[in-house]
Amino acid sequence: AQTVTQSQPEMSVQEAETVTLSCTYDTSESDYYLFWYKQPPSRQMILVIRQEAYKQQNATENRFSVNFQKAAKSFSLKISDSQLGDAAMYFCAYRRGETSGSRLTFGEGTQLTVNP
Amino acid sequence: DGGITQSPKYLFRKEGQNVTLSCEQNLNHDAMYWYRQDPGQGLRLIYYSQIVNDFQKGDIAEGYSVSREKKESFPLTVTSAQKNPTAFYLCASSIYTPAPYGYTFGSGTRLTVV
């Protein structure tokens, strides 16, 4: 079974600084997708960024980028120029690629605090 | 606008009662999912359905039941057999074909046993 681990229950960053959230996963599959979701205090889950395992290039979405290390099974999220609105719970998630409608497996989450 | 609607936002259950959480989507998504969220445990899969009239158990299905009679609807019943139902429940949907898509989530239902 696939597992996703986020080893940092809490992180904090100063406004305008950069922070990196860690995620590791365990799988025997070669085709899969990885995601970072953000859950602000409203508790609405918001997709931040996604990465296809077959792509070597790291995904980037504005201030958000990932460091995808397939051999190490590591998928960290870097937030640049942190803003107060980035404060939220962040979840890393894994999805198999070859099975239609396959489920997402989530990590335990990292609570990010942004200090003004 | 397309999206997923969960209702009610807050729900209170007495001991021994069954309660049903509603989840409706107008995204024309084939697959729908129910997750439970507890502090420090992330999201755990309860049930999921890939097509109408079919559904599968997730990791923590005991004490829960679902139905999928329509593509748009995937209600979750929390039965009296669920011993610790107080949690935040999230419904989600996705397209069926293999693709680098995540889920679209509803806004959740907070269930409390009183």
Side-chain angles (χ1 to χ4, degrees):
Chain A
Q2 292 80 22
T3 58
V4 178
T5 302
Q6 294 177 248
S7 59
Q8 306 154 316
E10 298 177 348
M11 291 283 286
S12 64
V13 63
Q14 291 296 126
E15 196 175 3
E17 297 294 311
T18 296
V19 64
T20 298
L21 308 184
S22 300
C23 173
T24 58
Y25 58 95
D26 185 24
T27 183
S28 58
E29 306 289 333
S30 59
D31 183 21
Y32 54 87
Y33 306 105
L34 297 164
F35 305 85
W36 278 97
Y37 277 89
K38 169 185 177 180
Q39 188 180 44
S42 68
R43 307 201 78 169
Q44 179 69 52
M45 295 285 283
I46 302 165
L47 178 64
V48 174
I49 198 166
R50 60 175 169 239
Q51 174 79 43
E52 293 92 326
Y54 63 85
K55 288 188 177 180
Q56 294 186 343
Q57 186 174 5
N58 290 325
T60 299
E61 289 287 344
N62 300 313
R63 298 182 295 107
F64 298 88
S65 61
V66 299
N67 184 6
F68 174 48
Q69 301 291 326
K70 190 172 184 178
K73 296 181 182 176
S74 172
F75 183 61
S76 61
L77 175 69
K78 185 173 80 171
I79 306 174
S80 304
D81 185 26
S82 296
Q83 301 175 359
L84 295 177
D86 295 333
M89 180 72 83
Y90 285 81
F91 291 99
C92 178
Y94 166 99
R95 185 179 195 185
R96 288 174 60 185
E98 62 190 30
T99 304
S100 298
S102 61
R103 51 183 286 181
L104 275 175
T105 299
F106 288 87
E108 304 91 339
T110 297
Q111 182 68 53
L112 177 66
T113 300
V114 180
N115 300 309
Chain B
D1 290 337
I4 297 181
T5 301
Q6 287 188 243
S7 61
K9 191 173 180 64
Y10 299 97
L11 186 58
F12 299 90
R13 191 194 92 168
K14 294 182 179 179
E15 295 282 351
Q17 274 187 338
N18 292 351
V19 292
T20 298
L21 284 60
S22 172
C23 179
E24 304 277 336
Q25 54 100 358
N26 59 4
L27 299 165
N28 200 34
H29 285 174
D30 295 289
M32 297 187 73
Y33 312 81
W34 274 105
Y35 282 85
R36 170 178 171 145
Q37 185 176 14
D38 295 281
Q41 296 193 48
L43 280 69
R44 293 182 291 167
L45 183 65
I46 304 172
Y47 268 99
Y48 63 107
S49 168
Q50 296 175 328
I51 55 174
V52 175
N53 293 322
D54 187 49
F55 49 83
Q56 290 78 41
K57 292 183 179 180
D59 300 321
I60 55 166
E62 184 176 354
Y64 300 97
S65 66
V66 294
S67 63
R68 187 84 187 279
E69 298 177 359
K70 298 186 300 181
K71 186 176 185 178
E72 300 79 16
S73 179
F74 191 42
L76 173 73
T77 297
V78 184
T79 74
S80 57
Q82 171 51 237
K83 299 306 179 186
N84 184 24
T86 294
F88 187 67
Y89 291 86
L90 280 164
C91 179
S93 69
S94 71
I95 63 172
Y96 184 70
T97 55
Y101 299 116
Y103 294 170
T104 301
F105 283 88
S107 56
T109 294
R110 175 69 184 179
L111 174 62
T112 304
V113 174
V114 296

